Amino acid sequence: MAVRDKILRPCRNAVLKGGLLAGRVDVVREKMLPYQWKALNDLLPQVEPSHAMENFRIAAGEKAGEFRGMVFQDSDVAKWLEAVAYSLAAHPDPELEAQADEAIDLVARAQQPDGYLNTYYTIVDPDHRWTNLADNHELYCAGHFIEAAVAYYEATGKDKLLQVVCRLVDHIDSMFGPEEGKKRGYPGHEEIELALIRLYRVTRDERHLRLAQFFVEERGKEPHYFQEEARARGLENFHHWGRLGCAYSQAHVPVREQKTAEGHAVRAMYLFSAVADLAQETGDEELFRVCETLWDSTVNRRMYITGGLGSQAHGEGFTIDYDLPSSRAYAETCAAIGLFFWGQRMLQLDPHGKYADVMERALYNGILSGMSLEGDRFFYVNPLEVSPKVAGIRHDHQHVTPTRQGWFACACCPPNLARLLTSLHRYIYSRSSQGLHVHFFADSEVQFVVDQAPVTLRQRTEYPWSGQVRLELALEQEAEFSLYVRLPGWCRKAQVKVNGEPLEDLARHLDKGYLVLARTWRSGDGVELDLAMPVEKVYAHPKVRDAAGRIALQRGPVVYCLEEADNGPDLHALVLAADPDFVVEVDPELQVPAITARGFRLEAVDPGLYAACEPKRVPVTIKAVPYFIWDNRSPGEMSVWIRSAWEA
């Protein structure tokens, strides 16, 4: 099929060498993974206990006790193992590997004789396994262990966890499917679908692909499985999250009929990722078109400027087009991560810069914001406006934490962050039969093969703080291939040189947002990019009520915000001047480029609550810092959208 002809393959052997992303990965490896291991083992004082490892000890019969934590607590262990796997692949660490092996041994001991693996049901309710797929996350947890097993096998060559999940999948396959006597159910929280496809790519066992396809295709069919399942449990009616209904789990209609992003944002991203994977593995053009339609709905009408998804706390998900409130946003860290995963799959199917643009927006804003600079405090939700006083009193802001937390009772986001950041090197480059795609700019190196001869590409850059990028090639022998270098959607002016010679008429070399540089390459050849990176005023669509008439500041891929630490309280009273005279300087404390600009503060002339006279404008200097870095100093207000002089 046509869709198969376009497929790219990610280069997993890339190595980050320096810069912002490498620094964030170093923090994960050196601080975050050890911190999370302590959290999983309840060794962190003054934070929410996890109980996750203790649950496995109880399920294995090695300790007495009760299950504690969320019903999906097992998944935190799986995500930690997956993150460790990616870290080990890039940075071997015998001590960390031994720690992971210890956890895997425990998981294996907790597996039941029939292959079943889930500590909640093993400890609490072994007689009612697979009876509440809508709510109880058995398949979701299985999916995360499958992903961890594949990653650990690829990183270390060790297959103990892979054997565990293959036995688990054998059990699941005996329970679910279209065959007579099997349950025609599917998970309330998607995840196993994409995990099974990852497993299939290792095992090449067609059963794994067929099971993933069944879970995707069965979803939303009538009679509705969740309703039937509820009746079997003695409940006459199934009410899934009130007015959201089955759309909460993207089960309102079959996937092929879905036109808009609905329901719980993380679940939607995992489902859509699986649909894209299926399109790739089966060559199903219709599934790819479904993904295109859903992508358009998600990123063009239901996504925050930060790449955040989910505009309400109820159901942790989508509402309607352009409903993107700033202070009440949910924008769960996991949802931005899920968008990144989905974008990568779309990019492999259709090498179009629009997918990488969204991935980059999510990464540098809605994802990196989820962890502190030190890597030991985390945001679950990522609103675009925060007032600690308001969040502390308003019922509709109770999901907002004005400062990052050490851990969570529902701690899905920190380990999800860890597994994405430790695997970032796998997303920078892709290979095709024509050559190499450079999707993202980061100080890095990658090796690939052309006509059985090795080629090394070294990328040198301080991106995202600088638009200067140099690509250097080292070859044992000259080779003919194409370099596809993405020109980011945010960039409105670029200069490109090949071996020092300016590349004229860039538009002639552009295809779907990528510069196509086809030639015979020799060792020492190089490509230089100068991506103009001025401060840009960004405007939301007028239908976005909270942002209409306001502006956000963006430089390169990085969205900026105002913090009380720099601008004082009442950020809503600040107005950007019509001629702001932007200045970019490195903040000495945060060590990142900050933006200063001319502006005004609105101050009351009349002390009354309402008055017939305009507030006065007091000239001030407004300072903005990258959104992802906010709340690394003193707690206080934050705002992305700023009043502009022409509005006031």
Side-chain angles (χ1 to χ4, degrees):
M1 310 258 325
V3 71
R4 278 184 163 169
D5 297 337
K6 313 175 203 174
I7 292 173
L8 304 182
R9 304 294 179 187
C11 296
R12 297 174 178 173
N13 65 336
V15 178
L16 286 166
K17 293 289 190 176
L20 173 63
L21 296 184
R24 294 284 76 201
V25 174
D26 288 344
V27 169
V28 173
R29 185 179 71 255
E30 296 167 6
K31 297 183 179 181
M32 197 169 169
L33 289 177
Y35 180 90
Q36 291 186 7
W37 177 248
K38 290 180 181 178
L40 294 172
N41 285 279
D42 307 326
L43 298 175
L44 293 177
Q46 299 179 331
V47 303
E48 290 278 0
S50 167
H51 312 295
M53 295 302 293
E54 189 73 357
N55 288 337
F56 275 99
R57 296 184 186 100
I58 297 168
E62 297 172 4
K63 294 194 77 172
E66 298 180 354
F67 178 93
R68 290 189 291 176
M70 310 297 288
V71 69
F72 45 82
Q73 209 74 354
D74 291 4
S75 63
D76 291 351
V77 177
K79 283 183 277 189
W80 181 83
L81 284 169
E82 188 181 352
V84 167
Y86 300 134
S87 183
L88 292 175
H91 297 275
D93 182 336
E95 184 178 345
L96 181 61
E97 187 171 342
Q99 210 168 51
D101 289 342
E102 173 191 335
I104 289 169
D105 289 343
L106 176 58
V107 170
R109 295 195 300 271
Q111 186 170 33
Q112 300 303 290
D114 63 356
Y116 185 82
L117 179 65
N118 185 280
T119 66
Y120 173 80
Y121 275 98
T122 296
I123 297 169
V124 177
D125 200 4
D127 295 331
H128 293 93
R129 305 186 314 192
W130 311 123
T131 60
N132 189 355
L133 300 185
D135 301 311
N136 282 0
H137 291 69
E138 287 165 282
L139 292 171
Y140 167 84
C141 290
H144 275 302
F145 269 110
I146 292 168
E147 288 207 84
V150 170
Y152 204 73
Y153 172 71
E154 291 175 340
T156 67
K158 297 178 179 178
D159 68 350
K160 184 167 189 175
L161 188 56
L162 192 68
Q163 292 181 32
V164 167
V165 301
C166 284
R167 289 194 297 272
L168 172 59
V169 171
D170 286 345
H171 170 74
I172 294 170
D173 188 54
S174 74
M175 299 295 297
F176 297 95
E179 299 85 3
E180 186 176 352
K182 291 186 178 182
K183 295 175 180 288
R184 298 188 68 98
Y186 42 84
H189 195 313
E190 302 91 330
E191 156 63 22
I192 194 172
E193 301 89 340
L194 64 91
L196 284 166
I197 297 172
R198 287 192 66 183
L199 182 63
Y200 165 72
R201 288 170 178 164
V202 170
T203 66
R204 308 312 295 180
D205 187 332
E206 292 288 337
R207 293 178 308 147
H208 299 159
L209 180 61
R210 286 198 303 269
L211 187 56
Q213 194 164 13
F214 166 77
F215 284 139
V216 169
E217 299 278 15
E218 189 67 20
R219 192 170 211 89
K221 290 184 177 180
E222 296 289 346
H224 201 282
Y225 185 79
F226 292 161
Q227 183 70 53
E228 298 292 305
E229 180 185 64
R231 287 184 183 136
R233 296 199 311 272
L235 301 175
E236 183 56 34
N237 293 305
F238 173 74
H239 296 292
H240 211 13
W241 284 86
R243 290 189 296 175
L244 295 178
C246 290
Y248 169 73
S249 298
Q250 299 75 46
H252 49 303
V253 294
V255 166
R256 292 178 188 269
E257 300 173 21
Q258 294 188 24
K259 307 293 185 186
T260 55
E262 303 291 346
H264 188 281
V266 180
R267 299 177 191 226
M269 294 304 100
Y270 289 177
L271 173 63
F272 302 161
S273 295
V275 175
D277 276 338
L278 272 181
Q280 177 174 332
E281 292 300 331
T282 65
D284 191 322
E285 199 75 26
E286 183 185 16
L287 284 181
F288 176 64
R289 299 301 171 209
V290 168
C291 282
E292 285 189 312
T293 298
L294 292 168
W295 182 268
D296 178 61
S297 167
T298 301
V299 307
N300 291 324
R301 291 180 293 282
R302 300 189 175 190
M303 180 184 74
Y304 285 95
I305 189 174
T306 57
L309 299 177
S311 51
Q312 69 169 350
H314 178 70
E316 302 181 327
F318 300 102
T319 53
I320 60 173
D321 289 350
Y322 305 110
D323 181 38
L324 296 166
S326 293
S327 66
R328 302 188 308 281
Y330 204 75
E332 183 180 343
T333 302
C334 285
I337 292 171
L339 178 62
F340 190 89
F341 290 155
W342 182 24
Q344 187 260 353
R345 287 161 169 83
M346 295 298 289
L347 191 60
Q348 304 305 311
L349 280 169
D350 178 20
H352 197 303
K354 65 182 181 181
Y355 300 119
D357 286 343
V358 171
M359 292 172 68
E360 185 176 67
R361 180 178 296 280
L363 175 62
Y364 284 111
N365 302 291
I367 293 174
L368 290 185
S369 61
M371 63 181 283
S372 66
L373 292 178
E374 294 298 320
D376 59 355
R377 300 186 72 79
F378 311 95
F379 276 138
Y380 193 102
V381 302
N382 296 273
L384 279 69
E385 180 181 315
V386 172
S387 167
K389 292 179 180 178
V390 171
I393 194 67
R394 285 186 62 99
H395 180 77
D396 59 355
H397 285 62
Q398 61 183 342
H399 61 287
V400 176
T401 54
T403 188
R404 292 180 180 84
Q405 306 297 297
W407 201 249
F408 306 96
C410 173
C412 55
C413 294
N416 219 3
L417 268 169
R419 72 176 181 137
L420 172 61
L421 294 179
T422 51
S423 64
L424 273 181
H425 61 279
R426 298 157 60 104
Y427 297 93
I428 301 171
Y429 306 98
S430 292
R431 281 283 282 126
S432 71
S433 57
Q434 289 76 40
L436 182 77
H437 279 70
V438 181
H439 301 303
F440 302 107
F441 302 120
D443 201 82
S444 58
E445 184 175 285
V446 67
Q447 293 184 333
F448 56 104
V449 175
V450 176
D451 295 332
Q452 300 183 327
V455 180
T456 300
L457 184 145
R458 178 70 166 90
Q459 182 180 163
R460 301 182 189 277
T461 182
E462 295 179 6
Y463 195 89
W465 310 128
S466 167
Q468 302 285 331
V469 181
R470 178 167 177 81
L471 307 176
E472 301 168 350
L473 287 164
L475 302 85
E476 291 185 0
Q477 60 190 46
E478 65 179 35
E480 186 177 349
F481 61 90
S482 295
L483 275 181
Y484 299 83
V485 183
R486 173 174 150 261
L487 282 188
W490 57 260
C491 181
R492 297 198 285 174
K493 182 180 179 182
Q495 293 181 337
V496 180
K497 294 180 180 179
V498 179
N499 293 336
E501 294 295 322
L503 192 67
E504 304 295 343
D505 191 11
L506 294 186
R508 187 168 59 86
H509 297 273
L510 273 177
D511 180 33
K512 292 185 175 181
Y514 284 80
L515 279 173
V516 183
L517 307 175
R519 57 185 288 143
T520 298
W521 298 94
R522 297 172 176 82
S523 194
D525 284 354
V527 178
E528 297 171 76
L529 293 89
D530 185 357
L531 309 175
M533 198 176 275
V535 178
E536 297 277 10
K537 297 179 184 178
V538 181
Y539 302 85
H541 192 288
K543 287 182 179 289
V544 181
R545 294 185 301 279
D546 276 26
R550 299 192 177 199
I551 61 98
L553 300 180
Q554 184 171 329
R555 182 173 180 269
V558 179
V559 174
Y560 279 67
C561 71
L562 308 185
E563 275 200 273
E564 184 176 343
D566 300 308
N567 301 283
D570 300 326
L571 298 178
H572 57 275
L574 293 177
V575 181
L576 191 69
D579 180 15
D581 190 21
F582 294 120
V583 176
V584 179
E585 293 181 329
V586 173
D587 181 275
E589 183 179 5
L590 296 173
Q591 288 298 299
V592 296
I595 300 168
T596 55
R598 294 175 54 248
F600 308 93
R601 178 177 290 278
L602 301 180
E603 293 187 359
V605 174
D606 189 305
L609 183 58
Y610 304 104
C613 52
E614 289 187 15
K616 63 180 178 181
R617 300 184 184 190
V618 178
V620 295
T621 297
I622 294 174
K623 182 176 179 179
V625 298
Y627 171 79
F628 80 82
I629 217 164
W630 87 276
D631 187 46
N632 277 282
R633 296 172 292 175
S634 56
E637 296 179 20
M638 180 277 294
S639 183
V640 169
W641 294 106
I642 313 168
R643 296 181 185 275
S644 55
W646 62 269
E647 176 212 7

